[in-house]
Amino acid sequence: MLAYTFRRLLTIIPTLLIASILIFSFMHLMPGDPAAVMLGTNATPEQVEKLRVQLGLDRPIYVQFATWLQEAFRGDLGDSIFFQSPVLSVIQNRAETSIFVATFSMLIILILGIPIGVISAVKYNTLLDQLTMGFAMLAASIPTFWLGLNLMILFSVNLDWLPSSGFPSVLESGNLNNLKYLILPCITLAAPNSALIIRLTRSSMLDVMKEEYVKTARAKGLKESIVILKHIFRNAIISIVSALGFTFIALLSGTVVTETVFSLPGVGRLVVQSVLRRDYPVIQGIIFVVVILYVFINLLTDLSYAFLDPRISYE
Amino acid sequence: MRLSKSFFKKLFRRKITIIGAVILVIIISMALLSPLIAPYDPMKINPIDRLQKPNSTHWFGTDNFGRDIFSRIIYGARITVLSGFGVVIFSIVFGVILGSLSGYFDTLGMFIMRIIDVVMAFPPIMLALALVAILGQGLINVIVAVGAVYLTRTARITYGLTLKIRKDAFVEAAVAEGAGNGRVLFLHIIPNLISPIIVQATFTFAFALLQMAALDFLGVGIPPQIPSWGNMLSSSQDYITRAPWLLLFPGIFIVITVLSFNLFGDALRDRLDPKFKDEL
Amino acid sequence: MRKNVTLILLLAFLLIGSSMVMAQEKGGTLRFAMIDTPPSLDQQVITSDLATIIAQHIFEGLYTFNSEYAPVPMLASGSEVSDDGKLVTINLREGVTFHNGNEMTSEDVVASLERWGEFGVRGPVLFEHIDKVEANGKYSVNLYFSEAFSPWKSMLAFINGGPVILPKEIMENANEQPISPQEYIGTGPYQFNEWNTGRYISLTRYEDYAMREEESDGFAGQRISYLDELRFIPVPETGTRVNGVKAGDYDYAQRMQGDMYESLKEDERVEVLVNQGAQFGELFFNQKEGLMTNTKLRQAVLAALDMEPVLQAAHGHPDLWDQNGSIMPEGTIWYSEAGIEKYSQGDPELARKLAEEAGYNNERIRFMTTTSYQTMYDSCVVIAQQLSEAGFNIDLQIYDWATVATRRNDPAVWDFFYTWHGFVPDPILYTFLSPTYPGWWDTPEKRNLVGQFTKTMDQEKRTEIWSQLQEQIYNYVPIAKTGDTYTYDITSPSVKGFGQTSLIWPKFWNVWIE
């Protein structure tokens, strides 16, 4: 197991290398100039050129890449052009919001999605099942930003129950009340992804139900609840866990839109702003961090199979 | 795929699938017949009529330029369907080529799949954002950017299927008879991929519509003067308190279109050869 | 110190007497919700408006603007100009102290001007014309110009990216990098207190402030600090700023969105303040390459445009825009009606006729704009529509701002583009007067007029020449102005002393909380 983990960790290096080459070429194929953006609409070409030199943007691309890569592997992702401060601290400032949003959404997805999927499978082909599936299908067909804006009209504008935008930090103020700013965003983000988990849970449950050992367990006269939980769910959970890596990426992708809708000070919105500002180091930094997270989550998922299913072992 | 009578009979066994199919037919006719259906020029600016509520002359109201929303929705169907097909064709053509080649030639496969895996680790919207920023805003460019995201998924699926089919008896027989690589690939492998790929295409269409609407919303999608449904929503967000109808109608049309494609895709998948089910 | 406090109290007392109902109270903290955190408060090297809003309370310049945006003395007491305009002597007020307690003298002024002239954002524009700055006794400074350069006073008064006065010890060691917060030592009514990164910037009253005696007029005159503390808090989300003021968490919130104007105006929990610093939209025509080098064709485009719908579609409520053809807004000393009969004609027939005379034959015209700013894009949609209706073949090309800002430097790829211009106190600062700015307006007539404009010292004559330049703009059409637009802020009703509008940078002296 340890040896396997170590081998997997080694494969991360080429992945990150490929990723950073891709990211860097993307960035430098973008037209436009961060210096021009920073100086606003009234800057003269001379002022822009002066700032470009100051920011080191006039160096050849390969030089910039080599410098960046060297420092990235030492844990330094460079400085933001726009904020004039280290990328890591820029990301850190925005991380609280995104971590909260992603975690709460994930909790909603797991707490709602899995049980509903299980019930739907158990009640296969009943009206309840069909209704659930219908709703799940609908939820997966709604654009997240549209759902968010509608929730905002209903709960913030018309009913005035919840704030419509922004998020004052909880960690800094210690005020847990601020979490109410995240209720609508989390529902928005969780909805389509819960739908996918419901469908996945249901179909993997149904697959397992067809297996011989389930029939045997039932024939042995075991209680139905035990059959469902111990035999069916236990086995179905592996394919659910394997989907969590993708769900995570889907959530991160979703934060970009959700944070924009609700004007949350998070990393997702920072991505959009940074693309528009051509703040290359920040975009590079964020994608780099996301890829690392993704790789680690996939590793954790694979390792967790061994705990979930005794038949799987890594040597 | 066996397009027999019984196939359709089974496909439309569920009423909901029929509803989905009917909606799709409506949307596609809206797209084809836009100039005949739309009561107004969708681009015609008329500042005096700006932000009118839905009424008998403007069924869905007007926007901040006084343009008729109903007419824009009708023309929007055209852009939306067109760009959806664009993404599907782009992602399927290149996805299948990359995926089947990688599945067939091992070394090449290692190399290509490695890159595709890395690209799949990028959140789709960030990838599309970056690609649009590179290519510039334009209908074709947005299709390419979103197509590139789904290309990776199609390639992955095709890769898995190709690996599987390669080991099938009939393929091995063809190889044993001395058939060349091209012949095996195009005559034996790709034809067997068609039905799972059609299913994948349906879902890609649905996801692509959502993804493009999101890009439009962020202001980096289809150029804003083109009345796609996503663009209509994007400009509506400044008026959500004053003119909520701007938000309502384009959204509903996106939802029902995506929903119908999803329903249709589900029905197709249920009818599919069980051998491929795991991959989708 | 005693003397000053008594003076303040006396003045306050007089004001109470004159207004009767309004009772100004000393005390309280004003919590200002701002859109972002400024990069630094060093006025000389930073052009962020946000930085100026805060820093104008700490730092002062030799001159400032009155409500008509004419430059008037601030730290200066007056000036003499030699007949040839080459020697300007600025006399300083005596007894002005820095926040470190030292008196301001000519040495501090020379060091500040020199640092700004070399490293400041707007400094080199002025210092191109200055050979030398020299102390002339303790309370007087000489500026030696290489030739007469009339905008000097406006440029000394414009403190955004401008020449604020700091102690010599700080200025002599400063370069193009912003100075650090410990060095924020000025002469203003408030002094720097604390910069709590990411949370707030705090200023407190400077008790020894040497106040001018004239009545307050725009930025000029008395600056009475009723408030004990000014606290600037970054709240980037508009919704949070609005809700915060309504709930009483903030007293002032900056930069609302157009759509909310009506509902905020009706809301009793807030007061709406329209910002006086007008921005204006302008089309820049490519005069170097392509179709638009044809003057007749530019005139045709101008003739086709009706600015009212252009402004309305983008800015909504009529309080937030002015259909104004004078390049400088109404109420400034530079307002002029020269040539404005050609503004906003909305005459497609005339446009067709002019285009025909220009030999236009339905060639594609590339109109470049951006979606990065929604109002810019909205204006352009209407402009494009009007031009199409007048028979022009418009190709609307849309990029994000970063791309527009780069592409516009290449004369081969566009025919005209749209952008904004912020408020400037002297027309010489308009970007379109620079022959290198994209658009490349550089005719002999213009060069001649700009030359006269910069050499003439007499304000009335300068206004006259500016009128002629404006006439040129409408005849030769290097740019087309769409109209003035305004941003707006909100305050809590308990904050008093603003009147109906705020200045380009809202200021909090002469402001109190009830």
Side-chain angles (χ1 to χ4, degrees):
Chain A
M1 185 95 179
L2 259 176
Y4 172 81
T5 314
F6 185 69
R7 269 205 315 274
R8 278 290 301 265
L9 282 173
L10 274 184
T11 64
I12 289 175
I13 295 170
T15 306
L16 289 183
L17 202 64
I18 295 175
S20 52
I21 292 173
L22 283 176
I23 297 166
F24 215 84
S25 8
F26 279 171
M27 292 308 115
H28 289 270
L29 286 170
M30 280 187 200
D33 183 345
V37 180
M38 281 171 76
L39 290 171
T41 50
N42 298 339
T44 62
E46 294 83 11
Q47 287 168 326
V48 173
E49 197 42 49
K50 194 177 147 202
L51 186 61
R52 275 182 66 82
V53 176
Q54 250 181 48
L55 295 171
L57 294 168
D58 55 335
R59 294 175 302 163
I61 288 176
Y62 59 89
V63 174
Q64 294 186 43
F65 180 64
T67 331
W68 182 79
L69 196 66
Q70 228 178 14
E71 287 177 0
F73 280 93
R74 267 192 271 130
D76 177 2
L77 294 175
D79 283 353
S80 156
I81 298 173
F82 185 83
F83 294 100
Q84 295 287 305
S85 59
V87 168
L88 272 179
S89 82
V90 171
I91 297 178
Q92 237 168 37
N93 281 336
R94 308 287 196 109
E96 180 192 346
T97 313
S98 301
I99 290 172
F100 274 139
V101 171
T103 316
F104 292 140
S105 305
M106 197 64 168
L107 284 178
I108 298 178
I109 292 169
L110 296 179
I111 292 171
L112 281 182
I114 294 178
I116 292 179
V118 169
I119 294 170
S120 208
V122 173
K123 305 277 178 194
Y124 178 63
N125 238 347
T126 61
L127 184 66
L128 181 72
D129 175 38
Q130 280 169 358
L131 279 179
T132 317
M133 283 301 100
F135 264 110
M137 183 76 96
L138 184 65
S141 306
I142 298 180
T144 38
F145 66 91
W146 191 66
L147 177 65
L149 289 171
N150 278 308
L151 291 174
M152 197 193 279
I153 290 185
L154 182 63
F155 291 103
S156 309
V157 178
N158 292 336
L159 297 172
D160 207 7
W161 288 353
L162 292 166
S164 64
S165 56
F167 172 57
S169 166
V170 166
L171 298 183
E172 269 174 29
S173 64
N175 184 355
L176 285 177
N177 227 343
N178 288 344
L179 288 177
K180 68 172 187 258
Y181 283 86
L182 298 184
I183 296 177
L184 294 181
C186 290
I187 296 176
T188 306
L189 186 53
N193 293 300
S194 312
L196 298 178
I197 291 291
I198 292 176
R199 288 165 61 90
L200 185 75
T201 310
R202 176 175 174 271
S203 65
S204 18
M205 290 280 290
L206 290 178
D207 282 347
V208 180
M209 280 176 182
K210 290 185 209 125
E211 299 279 339
E212 275 309 311
Y213 62 85
V214 175
K215 288 177 190 160
T216 324
R218 282 213 176 98
K220 277 198 292 192
L222 285 175
K223 250 168 99 186
E224 184 62 18
S225 55
I226 292 182
V227 176
I228 290 170
L229 283 180
K230 258 191 119 171
H231 294 266
I232 307 177
F233 184 64
R234 191 72 215 267
N235 287 296
I237 205 161
I238 291 187
S239 52
I240 300 169
V241 169
S242 70
L244 291 183
F246 285 105
T247 311
F248 170 75
I249 285 293
L251 281 180
L252 283 180
S253 199
T255 54
V256 173
V257 173
T258 314
E259 289 178 0
T260 307
V261 172
F262 292 98
S263 306
L264 302 181
V267 178
R269 190 141 154 268
L270 180 64
V271 171
V272 181
Q273 291 168 333
S274 303
V275 169
L276 292 178
R277 289 171 185 152
R278 299 292 189 273
D279 197 343
Y280 310 120
V282 174
I283 318 172
Q284 278 157 203
I286 294 174
I287 300 186
F288 199 66
V289 170
V290 167
V291 172
I292 292 176
L293 277 175
Y294 176 75
V295 170
F296 271 96
I297 287 192
N298 269 352
L299 176 62
L300 284 180
T301 331
D302 287 354
L303 292 179
S304 68
Y305 292 160
F307 293 99
L308 292 167
D309 188 343
R311 286 171 301 183
I312 299 174
S313 65
Y314 298 111
E315 282 316 325
Chain B
M1 191 191 279
R2 293 160 299 274
L3 296 175
S4 62
K5 233 181 180 174
S6 75
F7 173 82
F8 281 111
K9 213 169 159 186
K10 279 181 187 159
L11 182 63
F12 291 115
R13 201 178 46 194
R14 276 187 290 181
K15 284 201 191 79
I16 192 100
T17 317
I18 301 178
I19 299 175
V22 169
I23 293 175
L24 284 187
V25 170
I26 294 175
I27 301 281
I28 290 171
S29 358
M30 267 166 63
L32 292 174
L33 306 173
S34 327
L36 299 177
I37 306 170
Y40 297 92
D41 176 351
M43 310 295 267
K44 172 75 189 162
I45 290 173
N46 194 353
I48 302 156
D49 287 344
R50 82 194 274 272
L51 298 176
Q52 285 199 7
K53 284 197 177 111
N55 57 43
S56 56
T57 42
H58 297 287
W59 293 354
F60 291 174
T62 60
D63 66 8
N64 58 324
F65 294 109
R67 297 178 297 203
D68 181 54
I69 307 265
F70 181 68
S71 306
R72 289 177 76 74
I73 295 261
I74 303 287
Y75 275 90
R78 194 172 254 204
I79 301 303
T80 310
V81 170
L82 194 72
S83 47
F85 272 119
V87 171
V88 168
I89 291 168
F90 182 88
S91 66
I92 297 289
V93 168
F94 290 98
V96 168
I97 292 176
L98 287 180
S100 56
L101 287 178
S102 307
Y104 196 74
F105 301 105
D106 289 325
T107 339
L108 183 74
M110 278 241 303
F111 182 68
I112 293 180
M113 281 302 132
R114 186 94 230 186
I115 293 178
I116 283 189
D117 281 344
V118 173
V119 175
M120 281 176 89
F122 296 175
I125 199 109
M126 293 188 196
L127 184 59
L129 252 173
L131 287 174
V132 173
I134 292 168
L135 299 168
Q137 237 173 333
L139 185 57
I140 307 261
N141 293 346
V142 173
I143 290 174
V144 170
V146 177
V149 172
Y150 293 101
L151 178 161
T152 56
R153 280 143 183 80
T154 311
R156 245 223 150 290
I157 289 166
T158 320
Y159 174 71
L161 292 171
T162 310
L163 284 181
K164 220 177 235 183
I165 298 173
R166 233 174 92 187
K167 298 198 185 84
D168 273 3
F170 70 95
V171 178
E172 289 190 334
V175 176
E177 278 166 23
N181 285 335
R183 198 179 162 79
V184 173
L185 207 53
F186 283 101
L187 286 185
H188 298 283
I189 295 185
I190 292 186
N192 276 292
L193 294 172
I194 286 177
S195 62
I197 282 169
I198 288 180
V199 176
Q200 169 67 15
T202 335
F203 288 120
T204 301
F205 201 110
F207 284 128
L209 288 193
L210 292 177
Q211 196 79 57
M212 282 190 291
L215 286 179
D216 288 350
F217 171 76
L218 295 174
V220 293
I222 296 170
Q225 71 270 38
I226 300 175
S228 72
W229 294 336
N231 276 336
M232 295 172 71
L233 285 177
S234 171
S235 49
S236 78
Q237 54 178 325
D238 287 341
Y239 300 93
I240 61 168
T241 48
R242 277 175 70 196
W245 60 91
L246 294 184
L247 181 71
L248 189 66
F249 296 107
I252 288 178
F253 274 85
I254 293 182
V255 173
I256 58 174
T257 311
V258 173
L259 187 61
S260 336
F261 270 102
N262 274 336
L263 288 171
F264 207 66
D266 252 18
L268 276 177
R269 176 163 54 186
D270 288 348
R271 301 311 317 144
L272 187 67
D273 188 337
K275 180 165 72 177
F276 298 123
K277 263 188 150 170
D278 292 349
E279 303 288 336
L280 293 177
Chain C
M1 167 175 169
R2 280 268 163 254
K3 203 175 128 198
N4 285 325
V5 174
T6 345
L7 186 67
I8 291 169
L9 288 176
L10 186 70
L11 283 166
F13 187 72
L14 281 175
L15 279 169
I16 294 166
S18 62
S19 55
M20 298 301 280
V21 264
M22 283 190 266
Q24 289 100 327
E25 288 164 36
K26 225 172 171 184
T29 296
L30 183 120
R31 294 152 303 170
F32 179 102
M34 55 184 178
I35 51 171
D36 206 340
T37 308
S40 153
L41 297 183
D42 185 346
Q43 281 303 281
Q44 298 198 341
V45 299
I46 298 282
T47 52
S48 144
D49 281 320
L50 191 50
T52 304
I53 291 174
I54 303 170
Q56 63 180 343
H57 296 90
I58 308 174
F59 304 112
E60 295 174 323
L62 295 171
Y63 288 84
T64 191
F65 294 107
N66 66 12
S67 54
E68 284 185 293
Y69 289 95
V72 294
M74 186 73 221
L75 293 174
S77 58
S79 61
E80 293 127 37
V81 182
S82 67
D83 289 340
D84 60 359
K86 284 185 173 177
L87 172 62
V88 173
T89 305
I90 300 175
N91 301 317
L92 306 175
R93 282 162 61 207
E94 295 180 24
V96 173
T97 54
F98 285 112
H99 300 153
N100 61 9
N102 299 337
E103 191 187 19
M104 177 194 78
T105 67
S106 52
E107 287 191 343
D108 302 306
V109 174
V110 169
S112 300
L113 290 180
E114 278 176 344
R115 190 265 186 150
W116 178 68
E118 185 171 1
F119 300 111
V121 194
R122 303 183 200 275
V125 184
L126 179 62
F127 271 66
E128 244 177 23
H129 308 273
I130 293 181
D131 291 334
K132 192 168 59 168
V133 180
E134 209 174 58
N136 174 16
K138 204 175 172 193
Y139 300 110
S140 177
V141 173
N142 286 341
L143 306 184
Y144 296 95
F145 283 84
S146 51
E147 61 199 320
F149 185 71
S150 56
W152 66 270
K153 211 187 265 183
S154 293
M155 295 191 69
L156 291 183
F158 197 55
I159 65 163
N160 171 273
V164 291
I165 305 302
L166 280 80
K168 181 183 166 205
E169 313 84 77
I170 295 170
M171 286 292 97
E172 277 181 347
N173 295 318
N175 50 22
E176 77 275 7
Q177 293 297 324
I179 56 172
S180 67
Q182 303 88 274
E183 297 170 316
Y184 294 164
I185 292 172
T187 54
Y190 287 89
Q191 56 187 345
F192 177 76
N193 176 33
E194 187 190 0
W195 189 316
N196 190 326
T197 312
R199 299 188 60 191
Y200 60 84
I201 296 168
S202 157
L203 315 184
T204 49
R205 183 189 298 117
Y206 174 51
E207 302 287 356
D208 289 344
Y209 177 57
M211 192 160 64
R212 294 193 73 93
E213 288 167 17
E214 303 93 332
E215 215 172 292
S216 158
D217 175 23
F219 291 104
Q222 308 170 332
R223 297 180 165 184
I224 305 169
S225 43
Y226 294 111
L227 299 156
D228 292 338
E229 186 190 353
L230 306 177
R231 189 173 277 219
F232 299 88
I233 308 157
V235 187
E237 272 58 61
T238 315
T240 319
R241 292 201 299 279
V242 174
N243 294 334
V245 174
K246 286 181 183 170
D249 297 337
Y250 312 119
D251 305 299
Y252 192 105
Q254 205 198 354
R255 288 281 173 90
M256 297 296 115
Q257 274 166 11
D259 175 40
M260 298 180 196
Y261 187 75
E262 262 154 288
S263 67
L264 287 173
K265 224 181 158 183
E266 282 161 21
D267 199 315
E268 287 172 0
R269 291 169 292 179
V270 300
E271 298 275 347
V272 173
L273 274 182
V274 175
N275 191 307
Q276 235 182 42
Q279 259 193 336
F280 66 92
E282 50 183 346
L283 287 173
F284 271 90
F285 296 99
N286 183 345
Q287 293 146 74
K288 205 182 230 174
E289 260 181 57
L291 283 173
M292 284 298 149
T293 50
N294 184 333
T295 306
K296 265 269 154 57
L297 196 60
R298 294 198 300 275
Q299 290 168 343
V301 169
L302 180 63
L305 297 175
D306 174 5
M307 301 308 185
E308 188 178 340
V310 173
L311 292 162
Q312 193 192 24
H315 300 277
H317 198 283
D319 284 3
L320 300 178
W321 50 270
D322 255 333
Q323 195 185 340
N324 168 28
S326 165
I327 306 290
M328 275 296 213
E330 231 174 319
T332 62
I333 46 173
W334 302 101
Y335 180 79
S336 161
E337 295 189 349
I340 64 171
E341 65 282 353
K342 297 215 174 73
Y343 167 75
S344 191
Q345 298 170 82
D347 188 345
E349 290 320 308
L350 177 62
R352 264 174 223 278
K353 200 181 129 247
L354 287 168
E356 200 179 309
E357 286 170 26
Y360 176 67
N361 198 11
N362 205 37
E363 290 96 342
R364 193 171 61 106
I365 300 177
R366 295 155 303 172
F367 178 11
M368 185 164 73
T369 186
T370 178
T371 38
S372 299
Y373 305 99
Q374 184 67 36
T375 52
M376 260 196 207
Y377 170 72
D378 287 349
S379 298
C380 291
V381 170
V382 183
I383 292 172
Q385 159 102 5
Q386 291 181 354
L387 293 179
S388 306
E389 280 172 3
F392 294 96
N393 175 8
I394 298 293
D395 175 12
L396 191 60
Q397 301 189 338
I398 295 161
Y399 305 97
D400 57 10
W401 177 253
T403 310
V404 171
T406 309
R407 270 181 84 89
R408 65 181 183 182
N409 294 320
D410 179 358
V413 297
W414 58 276
D415 293 309
F416 55 90
F417 76 95
Y418 184 80
T419 186
W420 287 323
H421 205 299
F423 179 83
V424 293
D426 189 297
I428 199 68
L429 295 169
Y430 280 130
T431 51
F432 54 76
L433 290 182
S434 153
T436 58
Y437 193 85
W440 303 284
W441 182 25
D442 196 17
T443 60
E445 297 87 341
K446 173 217 167 191
R447 254 177 280 157
N448 176 29
L449 280 172
V450 172
Q452 286 184 38
F453 186 66
T454 50
K455 283 196 189 74
T456 310
M457 288 291 169
D458 181 59
Q459 180 57 47
E460 261 174 53
K461 274 191 199 137
R462 293 193 75 214
T463 312
E464 172 51 33
I465 301 169
W466 170 244
S467 282
Q468 291 173 27
L469 265 166
Q470 180 168 309
E471 187 127 28
Q472 273 286 305
I473 290 171
Y474 278 104
N475 286 329
Y476 188 75
V477 205
I479 59 155
K481 175 180 173 177
T482 56
D484 292 326
T485 66
Y486 306 93
T487 57
Y488 67 101
D489 301 344
I490 55 173
T491 69
S492 139
S494 61
V495 183
K496 302 287 183 190
F498 286 114
Q500 288 304 302
T501 53
S502 75
L503 298 167
I504 29 175
W505 307 295
K507 44 110 189 126
F508 300 101
W509 58 80
N510 303 344
V511 165
W512 66 99
I513 296 178
E514 259 179 25

